[in-house]
Amino acid sequence: MLKDITLGQYFPGNSVAHRLDPRTKLLMVVAYIVALFSAVWVVSYGLMILVLAGCIAVSRVPVKSLVRGLKPVLIILVFTGVINLFWTPGESLWHWWVFNLTREGIQRAIFMVLRITMLIMGTFLMTYTTSPIRLTDGLESLLGPLKKLHLPIHELSMMMSIALRFIPTLIEETDKIMSAQKARGADFESGSVLQRARAMIPLLVPLFISAFRRADELAVAMECRCYHGGKGRTKLHVLRYQGIDYAALFLSLVVVAAVFALRRFGL
Amino acid sequence: MNDMIQTKSLTFHYPVEEGEPAPDVLRGVDLTIEQGSFVVILGHNGSGKSTLAKHMNAALVPTGGQVLVDGYDTAEEENTLEVRRRVGMVFQNPDNQIVANVVEEDVAFGPENLGVPTEEIARRVRQSLQAVGMEDFALHAPHLLSGGQKQRVAIAGVIAMEPMCIVLDESTAMLDPSGRREVLETVQRLNREKGITVILITHHMSEAAYAHRVIVMDSGRVAMDGPPAEILTQVDRLRQLGLTAPPTVLLLSALQKDGWDVSLDALTVEDCADQICRALGA
Ligand SMILES: Nc1ncnc2c1ncn2[C@@H]1O[C@H](COP(=O)(O)OP(=O)(O)OP(=O)(O)O)[C@@H](O)[C@H]1O
Ligand SMILES: [Mg+2]
């Protein structure tokens, strides 16, 4: 169950998508989201699907793992779909109790579910093809101008990359503690919601304690390796826009413009 | 040879609540560790080994006495960076000292903090990974490596800072025999080939056999100090200090008690076998 959490996972590779500058990919995701939310009808959705399919093909990330990333949000997807399906005002096709299926509802449900699915797949595609350190480097660089306002951008990005670094470790640890508790007769799978929540307490307490201990040790280890904040730090990988970055950014702009144009014509 | 680390009547107690007694964890440690030496520190649990180690790179500063690292007084705050640049630390749990999600980026962390130029970082990362035999894993995710491999990455992260001295605090404790051998061989090679001073804290007597010098700590003091052949053969003294001599020494000591003509200073299995063969042949 815990293995399904794919957030922040990274599949090393050497495709074009992997080689793009993280800032480019962040900007592309923003453009992609803007375009996705501006799409109004089949043509523009079709265009977005093509764009996503193209990106997946270029990145050589297995579609299976992208689909797996959807699992945790399955409930949200179903919920959105059902609400839109039965509670959208319009031409009624079928009616029973409080459920009112409308033509508009079907349309909206399809579009909404598609939109969320594609949103998640698109963002996951970015995290799958970008090492978290590069991702946070990219964020730090994009948000760099905010440092002038004395916002702790370096610290935030460092925190984020460490959090991402420790996700797999903590998941592993949770699994271990769970097995340990199960071996002593703990039951996480049956009983009412309340009982199950109660069963989680002996899981969370050791997890938190160990996380704090880890944080403490990590802080010492970082200091021992001369970490003293962002000042005077250099980088192994300096971010530099290349030809493909400009090309990719240009293509993203074209897609956004195209979706805007289609929206004009209600397509 | 120059002095890499020098402690002068070093005492230390951890900070406590006001009014409570503050027991000294280190009680007058006088040590001079020469550059290029390979020193093993032994001692039972709670004897102050880790506390001493943390003084060697200014992670802790003395409450009494002085610690000099390559001449820098660790108590002066402006020396902290210079001290840490010279003395790298490797800890017990590799999971809690790896900062990045990709091996090469983790190795680069130290040099990045030191403000080393980019091309130079890339060179150091390559060389350090080669030095620990992990060059094929540069782009791997650390959490998918074995314990011994993780610990070697942690060592690479330290040597990328090009320190003069590496302190390993029970860095082999969580490893299986083959992982332990990997790590030991790595630090021995670094010591031999690059002349890096190595200070190895361990509970494994057999690891002490490879050292130039063995120091035994007991309740915050240096209890024994000398070459391994001299220290490890004092079976009874070691037992008093809560330690067990290496199995080879124990075997020879038992034989000696039974009247066999063997000497105790066989620290490796081969030497031990030689001794026994000679005794049988005689
Ligand atoms: N952070 C701390 N705060 C207070 N006391 C501490 C702290 N760390 C260690 N001590 C105490 O200092 C003493 C020496 O501890 P230290 O960790 O140096 O021993 P050690 O020789 O490394 O033992 P081990 O073999 O178990 O690692 C112990 O009595 C311990 O209780
Ligand atoms: Mg210790």
Side-chain angles (χ1 to χ4, degrees):
Chain A
M1 145 187 140
L2 292 166
K3 296 276 181 278
D4 292 337
I5 302 174
T6 44
L7 177 74
Q9 220 178 60
Y10 165 56
F11 293 96
N14 199 24
S15 71
V16 177
H18 286 86
R19 287 201 306 270
L20 280 177
D21 190 289
R23 290 169 297 182
T24 310
K25 283 185 263 190
L26 282 163
L27 292 172
M28 282 173 81
V29 165
V30 172
Y32 173 79
I33 293 175
V34 168
L36 204 54
F37 279 82
S38 311
V40 283
W41 188 243
V42 184
V43 183
S44 32
Y45 271 100
L47 175 66
M48 291 313 291
I49 290 177
L50 276 182
V51 167
L52 181 62
C55 291
I56 294 175
V58 164
S59 69
R60 306 218 195 96
V61 167
V63 181
K64 229 188 349 197
S65 45
L66 277 174
V67 173
R68 219 177 33 228
L70 288 172
K71 239 173 167 177
V73 290
L74 202 62
I75 298 178
I76 299 177
L77 278 178
V78 171
F79 193 68
T80 317
V82 169
I83 287 206
N84 279 293
L85 209 53
F86 294 112
W87 287 281
T88 305
E91 180 190 338
S92 181
L93 297 177
W94 178 77
H95 191 100
W96 176 74
W97 194 33
V98 292
F99 298 99
N100 185 20
L101 186 70
T102 63
R103 182 184 295 280
E104 287 78 1
I106 296 176
Q107 254 173 41
R108 267 187 68 170
I110 292 175
F111 283 150
M112 282 308 283
V113 169
L114 206 57
R115 189 178 273 175
I116 298 177
T117 311
M118 287 173 67
L119 178 73
I120 289 164
M121 286 173 99
T123 18
F124 273 17
L125 196 57
M126 176 185 67
T127 59
Y128 282 180
T129 56
T130 318
S131 92
I133 287 231
R134 276 172 67 73
L135 197 59
T136 46
D137 275 358
L139 261 182
E140 183 177 352
S141 160
L142 279 178
L143 299 178
L146 295 179
K147 279 182 195 163
K148 294 224 173 64
L149 303 175
H150 296 291
L151 289 178
I153 301 297
H154 165 77
E155 286 73 8
L156 284 175
S157 85
M158 184 53 100
M159 271 157 60
M160 211 168 97
S161 75
I162 288 176
L164 288 171
R165 140 82 183 85
F166 272 90
I167 286 176
T169 310
L170 290 180
I171 288 178
E172 214 170 274
E173 182 130 317
T174 314
D175 265 346
K176 238 187 255 166
I177 299 175
M178 252 176 153
S179 315
Q181 307 280 27
K182 271 188 201 155
R184 293 176 210 161
D187 182 2
F188 297 109
E189 264 109 39
S190 61
S192 69
V193 176
L194 201 68
Q195 274 168 338
R196 267 191 282 175
R198 190 94 106 330
M200 293 303 263
I201 294 175
L203 183 69
L204 291 179
V205 172
L207 189 65
F208 268 91
I209 291 175
S210 117
F212 281 122
R213 208 201 51 234
R214 275 179 198 285
D216 206 35
E217 277 184 32
L218 184 73
V220 173
M222 282 171 70
E223 281 196 346
C224 285
R225 289 167 75 182
C226 298
Y227 181 71
H228 53 282
K231 235 195 225 127
R233 245 185 140 238
T234 46
K235 292 272 178 193
L236 170 62
H237 296 297
V238 180
L239 300 180
R240 210 172 280 128
Y241 287 116
Q242 311 272 328
I244 46 169
D245 293 299
Y246 293 115
L249 286 172
F250 177 72
L251 276 178
S252 319
L253 275 183
V254 170
V255 170
V256 173
V259 172
F260 278 179
L262 289 171
R263 187 188 169 90
R264 266 253 139 118
F265 300 105
L267 293 171
Chain B
M1 278 200 274
N2 292 326
D3 297 341
M4 179 68 239
I5 294 169
Q6 194 175 23
T7 67
K8 293 182 183 164
S9 45
L10 159 65
T11 61
F12 179 79
H13 60 80
Y14 282 96
V16 287
E17 301 281 317
E18 200 140 337
E20 279 182 37
D24 275 346
V25 172
L26 296 178
R27 303 190 291 173
V29 178
D30 281 291
L31 277 178
T32 301
I33 290 173
E34 281 157 357
Q35 181 155 14
S37 55
F38 191 126
V39 180
V40 162
I41 302 183
L42 302 169
H44 60 79
N45 291 126
S47 54
K49 305 182 297 293
S50 301
T51 311
L52 177 62
K54 286 191 180 138
H55 279 85
M56 295 178 176
N57 80 337
L60 293 174
V61 290
T63 48
Q66 208 181 22
V67 179
L68 298 178
V69 172
D70 195 26
Y72 287 92
D73 186 343
T74 60
E76 312 277 334
E77 207 167 309
E78 68 265 22
N79 288 346
T80 306
L81 211 58
E82 291 305 319
V83 168
R84 292 193 178 150
R85 176 199 289 275
R86 283 169 173 72
V87 182
M89 276 272 222
V90 183
F91 294 95
Q92 181 172 8
N93 188 343
D95 276 325
N96 297 349
Q97 45 189 325
I98 290 178
V99 185
N101 291 63
V102 181
V103 167
E104 62 166 12
E105 285 174 5
D106 186 73
V107 176
F109 183 74
E112 286 178 343
N113 291 332
L114 293 173
V116 174
T118 298
E119 305 83 62
E120 169 71 6
I121 298 182
R123 187 190 65 78
R124 286 192 188 186
V125 168
R126 214 169 37 244
Q127 283 188 349
S128 320
L129 283 175
Q130 253 162 20
V132 299
M134 290 291 290
E135 62 271 31
D136 295 339
F137 296 86
L139 297 177
H140 279 235
H143 72 270
L144 299 178
L145 300 176
S146 76
Q149 290 173 328
K150 278 185 208 171
Q151 206 58 287
R152 283 192 282 161
V153 169
I155 294 174
V158 167
I159 38 185
M161 304 199 308
E162 305 198 331
M164 303 160 77
C165 174
I166 302 181
V167 180
L168 300 105
D169 188 357
E170 293 186 38
S171 305
T172 55
M174 297 177 83
L175 307 180
D176 61 8
S178 78
R180 215 154 56 217
R181 201 161 46 240
E182 283 172 24
V183 170
L184 270 181
E185 278 170 5
T186 306
V187 290
Q188 272 181 291
R189 205 173 52 244
L190 289 173
N191 175 255
R192 216 171 36 234
E193 289 170 10
K194 299 193 186 228
I196 297 177
T197 313
V198 174
I199 299 173
L200 181 77
I201 297 176
T202 181
H203 282 291
H204 291 275
M205 284 295 162
S206 49
E207 293 176 6
Y210 302 101
H212 299 143
R213 175 177 174 191
V214 176
I215 294 170
V216 183
M217 296 284 297
D218 181 47
S219 47
R221 288 205 182 88
V222 175
M224 297 168 88
D225 184 353
E230 189 179 296
I231 304 289
L232 298 179
T233 48
Q234 302 183 37
V235 179
D236 296 326
R237 178 80 177 116
L238 285 174
R239 188 171 301 131
Q240 271 174 13
L241 297 172
L243 301 172
T244 320
T248 51
V249 175
L250 289 178
L251 173 63
L252 291 174
S253 143
L255 287 172
Q256 206 178 41
K257 273 202 190 107
D258 277 359
W260 288 84
D261 175 28
V262 289
S263 69
L264 292 184
D265 58 349
L267 299 180
T268 64
V269 176
E270 288 79 22
D271 286 349
C272 179
D274 277 353
Q275 287 274 353
I276 294 174
C277 284
R278 206 164 317 132
L280 285 174

